[in-house]
Amino acid sequence: MRVDILTLFPGMFRGPFEHSIIKRARDNGHVKLRIWDIRHFTFDRHRVVDDVPYGGGPGMVMKPEPVFAAVEAITKGATSRPRMLLMCPQGQPFSQALAKELAEEEWLLFLCGHYEGIDERVCIGLPFERISIGDYVLTGGELPAMVIVDAVARLIPGVLGEPRAAAQDSFADGLLEYPQYTRPQEFRGMEVPEVLLSGHHEKIRRWRRWQSLLRTREHRPDLLSQIQLTREDEELLAKVVEDEEWG
Ligand code: 9D3
């Protein structure tokens, strides 16, 4: 997948995309990432990228010309068109479903706003979809673009070593994940649950499903009401939390 990111702060992307899974995905060619500095697409003496809002009001607005020039330069001569995403607090909320959809694309182009906003003619004249990552106020669209690239890249076949890893994600079956334990068996007085040491695969599966259901009911009841519970799920949820019986 090709990914182009337009930003006024290219330096912000250096750290996050040079580690771990995204770094490996770039190294082995699964993700071809290019970060573009919008300021390079200004042609005036002072390289101006923003200006005061028409009608007055606080803050600065990103000018349209550099954004158009950048998009035109990046897409010039290409036989296909990128899916164009504008990071915007007023956008469609990002979700795992949208991540899956974007992972199917050949080419994504992100525009990160900064300041109070972007001149509306960018959205009128270019086919951007506005995407938000949630209802909280950030200082710009750079972190949202990184979040989306991370969520999408790991869904590209071959990016995660283990193909089952993405399929078994939280949200993949609509429930939160069960708790994980590794050695030591006892740490500062805290024991690994007995059932996980038992080697009874069916009991372990039921215990994990039970834990997923309890966690989801506790922290994300909205998710629980969206999925079809099986009879086993109903039975597990009916168990009392103190229930230690696993036979
Ligand atoms: C003046 C009103 N503000 C809108 C709530 C202005 C404003 C605040 C923050 C304009 C831009 C920003 C910067 N945020 C983003 O660019 C952004 C964002 C976010 O703040 N939260 C969640 N998702 C996103 S995607 C882009």
Side-chain angles (χ1 to χ4, degrees), residues 58 86-91 112-117 131-142 144-145 148:
L86 171 60
M87 302 300 97
C88 173
Q90 292 80 37
C112 308
H114 224 91
Y115 312 123
E116 288 308 302
I131 315 242
S132 159
I133 61 161
D135 295 338
Y136 36 81
V137 183
L138 302 169
T139 57
E142 284 77 12
I148 294 172

